[in-house]
Amino acid sequence: MTYEQEFLKDFDEWVATQISVHQMAMAAAQEEADAGDARAVDAVIRYESRLDAYQFLAGKFDNYKAGKGFHDLPDGLFDQIQY
């Protein structure tokens, strides 16, 4: 396995771990927020935003594994953008 392949594999595993950790942390913070802890409401928001970012990265890894990239976008997609 090349250095790049090993890095991508390790990074993909790390992102998956972060998703699991933040899902658990967000659920625990939500329980505290539901119990009336105002600080937990802010924690839920922080965990959710981080979770969104990690899920975005996981989606990029899924696309990479599927061989998808910018070359797979429909023709003329960028022609529709107004600058």
Side-chain angles (χ1 to χ4, degrees):
M1 183 179 295
T2 67
Y3 176 77
E4 289 82 8
Q5 291 170 326
E6 187 173 337
F7 172 80
L8 288 175
K9 178 184 165 291
D10 290 346
F11 190 50
D12 186 25
E13 290 172 359
W14 180 81
V15 168
T17 301
Q18 294 305 307
I19 289 172
S20 296
V21 167
H22 281 78
Q23 285 173 333
M24 288 186 288
M26 190 173 78
Q30 186 63 54
E31 288 178 14
E32 292 297 317
D34 292 343
D37 187 347
R39 294 177 302 157
V41 174
D42 291 335
V44 170
I45 294 168
R46 285 193 306 274
Y47 287 127
E48 184 177 25
S49 66
R50 290 176 185 161
L51 182 59
D52 287 345
Y54 290 127
Q55 288 172 333
F56 174 81
L57 288 174
K60 292 296 181 183
F61 276 108
D62 291 342
N63 287 343
Y64 175 75
K65 290 174 189 174
K68 294 181 182 178
F70 284 116
H71 61 279
D72 295 324
L73 293 174
D75 289 337
L77 178 68
F78 289 107
D79 297 336
Q80 300 171 15
I81 298 174
Q82 303 271 331
Y83 294 101

